[in-house]
Amino acid sequence: MVTSQTSPAFIWSTANDQAVPVMNSLLYAQALQEHQIEYDLHIYQDGRHGLGLADDQFHTINWKEECISWLDTYIKPS
């Protein structure tokens, strides 16, 4: 349920997540786009559900830096 009041979002998912279809992230990003809400979407090919910080996953380990960069760029202190 995205509205014009929805908060900006940093989204990352893995394409082969067995618990949550990656399509959920794609549809969420599409809804954010339609409402002109700031977002960043990253889809990684491999990774189990619930990677958390992903410190043991070479392929997705950089998501934290990407998130920090996005926050610094798009989220302004109030």
Side-chain angles (χ1 to χ4, degrees):
M1 300 292 297
V2 175
T3 71
S4 62
Q5 301 303 308
T6 299
S7 296
F10 181 90
I11 309 160
W12 76 276
S13 300
T14 58
N16 64 357
D17 185 327
Q18 296 296 307
V20 179
V22 70
M23 187 56 69
N24 290 4
S25 295
L26 296 170
L27 292 171
Y28 184 45
Q30 180 181 7
L32 292 168
Q33 180 72 32
E34 289 170 358
H35 286 87
Q36 300 178 341
I37 306 292
E38 299 286 353
Y39 70 94
D40 212 14
L41 172 65
H42 299 260
I43 305 293
Y44 298 95
Q45 182 63 42
D46 294 310
R48 70 184 187 285
H49 182 74
L51 283 174
L53 295 177
D55 289 334
D56 63 340
Q57 302 294 314
F58 177 75
H59 184 64
T60 59
I61 197 168
N62 291 329
W63 81 264
K64 297 177 291 279
E65 288 79 19
E66 295 291 336
C67 183
I68 290 168
S69 174
W70 180 78
L71 289 167
D72 286 344
T73 303
Y74 292 102
I75 306 301
K76 310 294 185 234
S78 48

